[in-house]
Amino acid sequence: MEVALELLWNFTDAIVQLLMQPFYYISILFIMLMYRRQVLLERKLFHVRLHSWGLQTWRTFIGGLLAGLSVSVVILFLGISLTAGAVVCIWIVAIILLLFRVRFLCFAYSIGVLGVIQFVLGFFPGFHPAGMAGTAVDTVRELDIPALLALVAVLHLAEALLVKLQGAGFANPVFMESKRGKLVGAYQIQAFWPIPLFLLIPAQTGGELLPWTPLLGGDGWSAGFSMAALPVIIGFSEMTQSMLPQAKADKTFRRLLVYGIVLLGLSLLAAWWKPLMIAAALVSFLVHEGLLWYSRLEEQQNSPMFVHPQEGLKVLAVIPGSPAQEIGIKAGESIVKINGISIRTKEQMHAALRKNPAFCKLEVRNLQGESKFLQRAIYAGEHHQLGVILAPDPDAGVVLVMKPVSIFQLVAMKVQAKTKTNELQLGKPSEGESARMQ
């Protein structure tokens, strides 16, 4: 009972610590900015909003909170030595990396880099600069890198589950150039979750002992325990032109799951055999980058899915709450006939809809190549294409251009959107992009 009360008291204290740390609010603000950019991209390409950045932020906040509590329960048995100085050190490195690429905000990079720095410092035991630099060096030397890398691994296992459950809901349709230079439909899938972690750490003074022995930390737990709060942000970003968002999210889930399991195994081995620490640190960010590179290569080699077939028009996306969603049209399907008229262009589609402005009958070819017949009344004020976003024509006029994006471009988004009439800078953590008028 006394241990339970001690845990409750320390948990309350950790919540206060979390609310006093600016990094948690910075992560939420960053997420809001990214989702707002997605809405700007949708309006630029389609003149309609498919998502609400406020709702997306709320969904990731709730998902992150639940994931944070779940991960915190798991790592109660893991054991991590973490000081307030270590939290500041990790976040400072993360923010510095953020200045170069938005995707580097992931702790797989910052903690992996700190592991490499600690490894290098081990060759210079007498190096101790004066002032704040010396304090920073001491903090890095004292970091329990294997435990922190194990934390990164567990966070990516949680990220894998979040991608599986929520990832496809954050997919944004876009137009982009294929490897042959033709316009094709695609999906940009990106999501971020602010994770509040509550970590048990060895107490500096005496206190209640845990009824179990954490896996890491050894004799450090013999003097009792306390709890610290660590705000973390996790996220993923993918671009696919060859499969539906849920299929891409499922594939990303499996790869993140393997990455998390491998990194966790290496981290635990490094805790028992120190020379493995540098290998685990390198795997943390190099394999993470490798997964992104392999995903891009895979997309380049696969045939695009969202291009118009010989008969009909391919549906790239469906606007929520539209007539198309109501009657069951889905992304990836093709509209073959409207009111008995075969269609191959958007002009033919509009003409067929005008043939009977109060009612429409559609023949739609589903993903299995089978025809299904749909019908619905048409009411005044409804979307002129029934609420479907079609794959682009060769002369669509707007294409997504991939290029690196830093935090400066993210913050400058509002100014650029106002001052440029033919270009809107937009970004994503894996690469970055802009919508460009052709």
Short mmCIF file of all heavy atoms in Angstrom, two decimals, residues 29-70:
data_model
loop_
_atom_site.label_atom_id
_atom_site.label_comp_id
_atom_site.label_asym_id
_atom_site.label_seq_id
_atom_site.Cartn_x
_atom_site.Cartn_y
_atom_site.Cartn_z
N LEU A 29 2.45 22.78 -30.62
CA LEU A 29 2.44 23.89 -31.57
C LEU A 29 2.99 23.45 -32.92
O LEU A 29 2.45 23.80 -33.98
CB LEU A 29 3.26 25.06 -31.02
CG LEU A 29 3.38 26.30 -31.91
CD1 LEU A 29 2.01 26.90 -32.20
CD2 LEU A 29 4.30 27.33 -31.29
N PHE A 30 4.06 22.68 -32.90
CA PHE A 30 4.64 22.16 -34.14
C PHE A 30 3.61 21.33 -34.90
O PHE A 30 3.45 21.46 -36.12
CB PHE A 30 5.87 21.32 -33.80
CG PHE A 30 6.34 20.44 -34.92
CD1 PHE A 30 7.08 20.97 -35.96
CD2 PHE A 30 6.06 19.09 -34.91
CE1 PHE A 30 7.51 20.15 -37.00
CE2 PHE A 30 6.48 18.27 -35.94
CZ PHE A 30 7.21 18.81 -36.98
N ILE A 31 2.89 20.48 -34.20
CA ILE A 31 1.89 19.61 -34.83
C ILE A 31 0.77 20.46 -35.44
O ILE A 31 0.31 20.20 -36.56
CB ILE A 31 1.33 18.61 -33.80
CG1 ILE A 31 2.41 17.58 -33.47
CG2 ILE A 31 0.07 17.92 -34.31
CD1 ILE A 31 2.05 16.68 -32.31
N MET A 32 0.33 21.48 -34.73
CA MET A 32 -0.71 22.36 -35.26
C MET A 32 -0.26 23.03 -36.55
O MET A 32 -1.03 23.13 -37.52
CB MET A 32 -1.09 23.42 -34.20
CG MET A 32 -1.79 22.85 -32.98
SD MET A 32 -2.01 24.08 -31.67
CE MET A 32 -3.09 25.25 -32.49
N LEU A 33 0.99 23.49 -36.60
CA LEU A 33 1.51 24.13 -37.80
C LEU A 33 1.55 23.16 -38.98
O LEU A 33 1.18 23.50 -40.11
CB LEU A 33 2.92 24.67 -37.54
CG LEU A 33 3.03 25.95 -36.71
CD1 LEU A 33 4.48 26.25 -36.40
CD2 LEU A 33 2.38 27.12 -37.44
N MET A 34 1.96 21.92 -38.72
CA MET A 34 2.05 20.94 -39.80
C MET A 34 0.67 20.60 -40.36
O MET A 34 0.50 20.51 -41.58
CB MET A 34 2.75 19.68 -39.29
CG MET A 34 4.22 19.85 -38.99
SD MET A 34 5.22 20.39 -40.41
CE MET A 34 5.00 19.02 -41.53
N TYR A 35 -0.31 20.42 -39.50
CA TYR A 35 -1.65 20.10 -39.99
C TYR A 35 -2.28 21.28 -40.71
O TYR A 35 -3.06 21.11 -41.65
CB TYR A 35 -2.53 19.62 -38.85
CG TYR A 35 -2.15 18.25 -38.34
CD1 TYR A 35 -2.26 17.92 -37.00
CD2 TYR A 35 -1.67 17.27 -39.21
CE1 TYR A 35 -1.90 16.66 -36.53
CE2 TYR A 35 -1.31 16.02 -38.76
CZ TYR A 35 -1.42 15.72 -37.42
OH TYR A 35 -1.08 14.48 -36.96
N ARG A 36 -1.96 22.47 -40.28
CA ARG A 36 -2.48 23.64 -40.98
C ARG A 36 -1.89 23.72 -42.39
O ARG A 36 -2.57 24.11 -43.34
CB ARG A 36 -2.14 24.91 -40.20
CG ARG A 36 -2.76 26.17 -40.81
CD ARG A 36 -2.65 27.36 -39.87
NE ARG A 36 -3.22 28.53 -40.49
CZ ARG A 36 -2.53 29.39 -41.25
NH1 ARG A 36 -1.25 29.18 -41.46
NH2 ARG A 36 -3.11 30.43 -41.79
N ARG A 37 -0.65 23.30 -42.55
CA ARG A 37 -0.03 23.27 -43.87
C ARG A 37 -0.74 22.27 -44.78
O ARG A 37 -0.88 22.49 -45.98
CB ARG A 37 1.44 22.91 -43.74
CG ARG A 37 2.29 23.98 -43.07
CD ARG A 37 3.67 23.47 -42.77
NE ARG A 37 4.46 23.28 -43.97
CZ ARG A 37 5.10 24.26 -44.60
NH1 ARG A 37 5.02 25.49 -44.15
NH2 ARG A 37 5.80 24.02 -45.67
N GLN A 38 -1.18 21.18 -44.22
CA GLN A 38 -1.91 20.19 -45.01
C GLN A 38 -3.21 20.78 -45.55
O GLN A 38 -3.59 20.52 -46.70
CB GLN A 38 -2.20 18.95 -44.15
CG GLN A 38 -0.97 18.15 -43.80
CD GLN A 38 -1.30 16.93 -42.97
OE1 GLN A 38 -2.41 16.76 -42.50
NE2 GLN A 38 -0.32 16.08 -42.75
N VAL A 39 -3.91 21.55 -44.71
CA VAL A 39 -5.15 22.17 -45.16
C VAL A 39 -4.87 23.17 -46.29
O VAL A 39 -5.62 23.24 -47.28
CB VAL A 39 -5.86 22.87 -43.99
CG1 VAL A 39 -7.06 23.67 -44.47
CG2 VAL A 39 -6.30 21.84 -42.95
N LEU A 40 -3.77 23.93 -46.18
CA LEU A 40 -3.39 24.85 -47.25
C LEU A 40 -3.11 24.10 -48.56
O LEU A 40 -3.48 24.55 -49.65
CB LEU A 40 -2.16 25.66 -46.85
CG LEU A 40 -2.36 26.76 -45.81
CD1 LEU A 40 -1.02 27.38 -45.45
CD2 LEU A 40 -3.33 27.82 -46.32
N LEU A 41 -2.46 22.95 -48.44
CA LEU A 41 -2.16 22.15 -49.62
C LEU A 41 -3.44 21.66 -50.28
O LEU A 41 -3.58 21.70 -51.51
CB LEU A 41 -1.28 20.96 -49.23
CG LEU A 41 -0.94 19.97 -50.34
CD1 LEU A 41 -0.21 20.67 -51.48
CD2 LEU A 41 -0.11 18.82 -49.81
N GLU A 42 -4.41 21.19 -49.49
CA GLU A 42 -5.69 20.73 -50.03
C GLU A 42 -6.41 21.85 -50.78
O GLU A 42 -6.94 21.65 -51.88
CB GLU A 42 -6.56 20.19 -48.91
CG GLU A 42 -6.07 18.88 -48.32
CD GLU A 42 -6.82 18.48 -47.08
OE1 GLU A 42 -7.65 19.30 -46.58
OE2 GLU A 42 -6.60 17.37 -46.57
N ARG A 43 -6.44 23.02 -50.19
CA ARG A 43 -7.12 24.14 -50.83
C ARG A 43 -6.40 24.58 -52.09
O ARG A 43 -7.03 25.01 -53.07
CB ARG A 43 -7.24 25.30 -49.84
CG ARG A 43 -8.25 25.02 -48.73
CD ARG A 43 -8.32 26.17 -47.76
NE ARG A 43 -9.39 25.97 -46.78
CZ ARG A 43 -9.59 26.75 -45.71
NH1 ARG A 43 -8.78 27.78 -45.49
NH2 ARG A 43 -10.58 26.49 -44.87
N LYS A 44 -5.07 24.49 -52.09
CA LYS A 44 -4.31 24.89 -53.26
C LYS A 44 -4.58 23.95 -54.43
O LYS A 44 -4.73 24.38 -55.58
CB LYS A 44 -2.81 24.88 -52.92
CG LYS A 44 -1.91 25.32 -54.05
CD LYS A 44 -2.02 26.81 -54.28
CE LYS A 44 -1.03 27.28 -55.34
NZ LYS A 44 -1.14 28.73 -55.57
N LEU A 45 -4.65 22.66 -54.14
CA LEU A 45 -4.81 21.67 -55.20
C LEU A 45 -6.25 21.47 -55.63
O LEU A 45 -6.53 21.31 -56.82
CB LEU A 45 -4.23 20.33 -54.74
CG LEU A 45 -2.71 20.25 -54.53
CD1 LEU A 45 -2.32 18.89 -53.99
CD2 LEU A 45 -1.97 20.52 -55.83
N PHE A 46 -7.19 21.46 -54.67
CA PHE A 46 -8.55 21.03 -54.97
C PHE A 46 -9.62 22.08 -54.67
O PHE A 46 -10.80 21.83 -54.89
CB PHE A 46 -8.88 19.75 -54.20
CG PHE A 46 -7.82 18.69 -54.33
CD1 PHE A 46 -7.09 18.28 -53.23
CD2 PHE A 46 -7.53 18.12 -55.55
CE1 PHE A 46 -6.11 17.31 -53.34
CE2 PHE A 46 -6.55 17.15 -55.68
CZ PHE A 46 -5.84 16.74 -54.57
N HIS A 47 -9.23 23.22 -54.11
CA HIS A 47 -10.18 24.28 -53.77
C HIS A 47 -11.25 23.78 -52.80
O HIS A 47 -12.40 24.23 -52.85
CB HIS A 47 -10.83 24.85 -55.04
CG HIS A 47 -9.84 25.25 -56.08
ND1 HIS A 47 -9.02 26.34 -55.94
CD2 HIS A 47 -9.52 24.68 -57.28
CE1 HIS A 47 -8.25 26.45 -57.01
NE2 HIS A 47 -8.52 25.46 -57.83
N VAL A 48 -10.89 22.84 -51.96
CA VAL A 48 -11.81 22.30 -50.97
C VAL A 48 -10.98 21.78 -49.80
O VAL A 48 -9.81 21.41 -49.97
CB VAL A 48 -12.67 21.16 -51.57
CG1 VAL A 48 -11.82 19.93 -51.88
CG2 VAL A 48 -13.80 20.79 -50.63
N ARG A 49 -11.57 21.77 -48.63
CA ARG A 49 -10.88 21.27 -47.44
C ARG A 49 -11.38 19.87 -47.12
O ARG A 49 -12.58 19.68 -46.84
CB ARG A 49 -11.13 22.21 -46.25
CG ARG A 49 -10.31 21.84 -45.02
CD ARG A 49 -10.68 22.73 -43.85
NE ARG A 49 -12.03 22.43 -43.37
CZ ARG A 49 -12.59 23.01 -42.31
NH1 ARG A 49 -11.94 23.95 -41.66
NH2 ARG A 49 -13.81 22.68 -41.93
N LEU A 50 -10.48 18.91 -47.13
CA LEU A 50 -10.86 17.54 -46.81
C LEU A 50 -10.69 17.22 -45.33
O LEU A 50 -11.32 16.30 -44.80
CB LEU A 50 -10.05 16.54 -47.63
CG LEU A 50 -10.46 16.36 -49.10
CD1 LEU A 50 -9.88 17.46 -49.96
CD2 LEU A 50 -10.03 15.01 -49.62
N HIS A 51 -9.79 17.94 -44.66
CA HIS A 51 -9.52 17.70 -43.25
C HIS A 51 -9.61 19.00 -42.46
O HIS A 51 -9.48 20.09 -43.02
CB HIS A 51 -8.12 17.10 -43.06
CG HIS A 51 -7.94 15.75 -43.70
ND1 HIS A 51 -7.47 15.61 -44.98
CD2 HIS A 51 -8.16 14.50 -43.23
CE1 HIS A 51 -7.40 14.31 -45.29
NE2 HIS A 51 -7.82 13.63 -44.24
N SER A 52 -9.81 18.86 -41.19
CA SER A 52 -9.78 20.00 -40.26
C SER A 52 -8.50 19.90 -39.44
O SER A 52 -8.27 18.88 -38.76
CB SER A 52 -11.00 19.97 -39.34
OG SER A 52 -10.82 20.82 -38.23
N TRP A 53 -7.64 20.93 -39.52
CA TRP A 53 -6.39 20.84 -38.78
C TRP A 53 -6.63 20.81 -37.27
O TRP A 53 -5.86 20.19 -36.52
CB TRP A 53 -5.45 21.99 -39.16
CG TRP A 53 -5.91 23.36 -38.79
CD1 TRP A 53 -6.63 24.22 -39.54
CD2 TRP A 53 -5.65 24.04 -37.55
NE1 TRP A 53 -6.86 25.39 -38.86
CE2 TRP A 53 -6.27 25.31 -37.63
CE3 TRP A 53 -4.98 23.70 -36.39
CZ2 TRP A 53 -6.21 26.23 -36.59
CZ3 TRP A 53 -4.92 24.62 -35.34
CH2 TRP A 53 -5.54 25.87 -35.46
N GLY A 54 -7.70 21.44 -36.81
CA GLY A 54 -8.02 21.39 -35.39
C GLY A 54 -8.40 19.98 -34.96
O GLY A 54 -7.96 19.49 -33.91
N LEU A 55 -9.23 19.31 -35.77
CA LEU A 55 -9.64 17.95 -35.45
C LEU A 55 -8.46 17.00 -35.52
O LEU A 55 -8.32 16.10 -34.68
CB LEU A 55 -10.74 17.50 -36.41
CG LEU A 55 -11.29 16.07 -36.21
CD1 LEU A 55 -11.88 15.92 -34.82
CD2 LEU A 55 -12.33 15.74 -37.28
N GLN A 56 -7.60 17.18 -36.52
CA GLN A 56 -6.42 16.32 -36.64
C GLN A 56 -5.50 16.49 -35.43
O GLN A 56 -4.95 15.51 -34.91
CB GLN A 56 -5.65 16.65 -37.92
CG GLN A 56 -6.43 16.43 -39.22
CD GLN A 56 -6.68 14.96 -39.52
OE1 GLN A 56 -7.40 14.29 -38.80
NE2 GLN A 56 -6.08 14.48 -40.59
N THR A 57 -5.32 17.74 -34.98
CA THR A 57 -4.50 17.98 -33.80
C THR A 57 -5.10 17.31 -32.57
O THR A 57 -4.39 16.70 -31.77
CB THR A 57 -4.34 19.49 -33.56
OG1 THR A 57 -3.78 20.12 -34.71
CG2 THR A 57 -3.45 19.76 -32.36
N TRP A 58 -6.41 17.42 -32.42
CA TRP A 58 -7.08 16.82 -31.27
C TRP A 58 -6.94 15.30 -31.30
O TRP A 58 -6.69 14.66 -30.26
CB TRP A 58 -8.54 17.23 -31.26
CG TRP A 58 -9.34 16.65 -30.13
CD1 TRP A 58 -10.31 15.71 -30.21
CD2 TRP A 58 -9.23 17.00 -28.75
NE1 TRP A 58 -10.83 15.44 -28.96
CE2 TRP A 58 -10.17 16.22 -28.05
CE3 TRP A 58 -8.42 17.88 -28.03
CZ2 TRP A 58 -10.34 16.28 -26.67
CZ3 TRP A 58 -8.57 17.95 -26.65
CH2 TRP A 58 -9.52 17.17 -25.99
N ARG A 59 -7.09 14.69 -32.48
CA ARG A 59 -6.96 13.24 -32.60
C ARG A 59 -5.56 12.78 -32.21
O ARG A 59 -5.40 11.78 -31.50
CB ARG A 59 -7.26 12.79 -34.03
CG ARG A 59 -8.72 12.86 -34.45
CD ARG A 59 -8.87 12.41 -35.89
NE ARG A 59 -8.39 11.05 -36.08
CZ ARG A 59 -8.04 10.54 -37.25
NH1 ARG A 59 -8.10 11.29 -38.34
NH2 ARG A 59 -7.64 9.30 -37.34
N THR A 60 -4.55 13.50 -32.67
CA THR A 60 -3.19 13.08 -32.34
C THR A 60 -2.87 13.37 -30.87
O THR A 60 -2.09 12.64 -30.26
CB THR A 60 -2.17 13.79 -33.24
OG1 THR A 60 -2.41 15.21 -33.22
CG2 THR A 60 -2.27 13.32 -34.66
N PHE A 61 -3.46 14.41 -30.30
CA PHE A 61 -3.24 14.70 -28.88
C PHE A 61 -3.79 13.56 -28.03
O PHE A 61 -3.11 13.06 -27.12
CB PHE A 61 -3.92 16.03 -28.51
CG PHE A 61 -3.88 16.31 -27.02
CD1 PHE A 61 -2.73 16.78 -26.42
CD2 PHE A 61 -5.01 16.10 -26.24
CE1 PHE A 61 -2.70 17.02 -25.05
CE2 PHE A 61 -4.98 16.35 -24.88
CZ PHE A 61 -3.83 16.81 -24.29
N ILE A 62 -5.03 13.12 -28.33
CA ILE A 62 -5.63 12.03 -27.57
C ILE A 62 -4.86 10.73 -27.81
O ILE A 62 -4.56 9.97 -26.87
CB ILE A 62 -7.11 11.85 -27.95
CG1 ILE A 62 -7.91 13.09 -27.55
CG2 ILE A 62 -7.70 10.61 -27.28
CD1 ILE A 62 -7.92 13.38 -26.07
N GLY A 63 -4.53 10.44 -29.08
CA GLY A 63 -3.76 9.24 -29.38
C GLY A 63 -2.41 9.24 -28.69
O GLY A 63 -1.97 8.22 -28.15
N GLY A 64 -1.74 10.40 -28.68
CA GLY A 64 -0.44 10.51 -28.03
C GLY A 64 -0.54 10.34 -26.53
O GLY A 64 0.33 9.73 -25.90
N LEU A 65 -1.60 10.89 -25.92
CA LEU A 65 -1.79 10.77 -24.48
C LEU A 65 -1.97 9.31 -24.08
O LEU A 65 -1.35 8.82 -23.13
CB LEU A 65 -2.99 11.60 -24.04
CG LEU A 65 -3.33 11.60 -22.54
CD1 LEU A 65 -2.17 12.15 -21.73
CD2 LEU A 65 -4.60 12.39 -22.28
N LEU A 66 -2.83 8.59 -24.82
CA LEU A 66 -3.06 7.18 -24.52
C LEU A 66 -1.80 6.35 -24.75
O LEU A 66 -1.47 5.46 -23.96
CB LEU A 66 -4.21 6.64 -25.39
CG LEU A 66 -5.60 7.25 -25.11
CD1 LEU A 66 -6.62 6.70 -26.10
CD2 LEU A 66 -6.04 6.96 -23.67
N ALA A 67 -1.08 6.66 -25.84
CA ALA A 67 0.16 5.95 -26.12
C ALA A 67 1.20 6.23 -25.04
O ALA A 67 1.94 5.33 -24.61
CB ALA A 67 0.70 6.34 -27.49
N GLY A 68 1.27 7.50 -24.58
CA GLY A 68 2.22 7.86 -23.54
C GLY A 68 1.98 7.11 -22.24
O GLY A 68 2.92 6.62 -21.60
N LEU A 69 0.72 7.02 -21.85
CA LEU A 69 0.39 6.29 -20.63
C LEU A 69 0.72 4.81 -20.77
O LEU A 69 1.24 4.17 -19.84
CB LEU A 69 -1.08 6.49 -20.28
CG LEU A 69 -1.50 7.92 -19.89
CD1 LEU A 69 -3.01 8.01 -19.71
CD2 LEU A 69 -0.78 8.36 -18.62
N SER A 70 0.43 4.24 -21.96
CA SER A 70 0.71 2.82 -22.19
C SER A 70 2.21 2.55 -22.17
O SER A 70 2.68 1.58 -21.54
CB SER A 70 0.11 2.38 -23.53
OG SER A 70 -1.29 2.58 -23.56
#
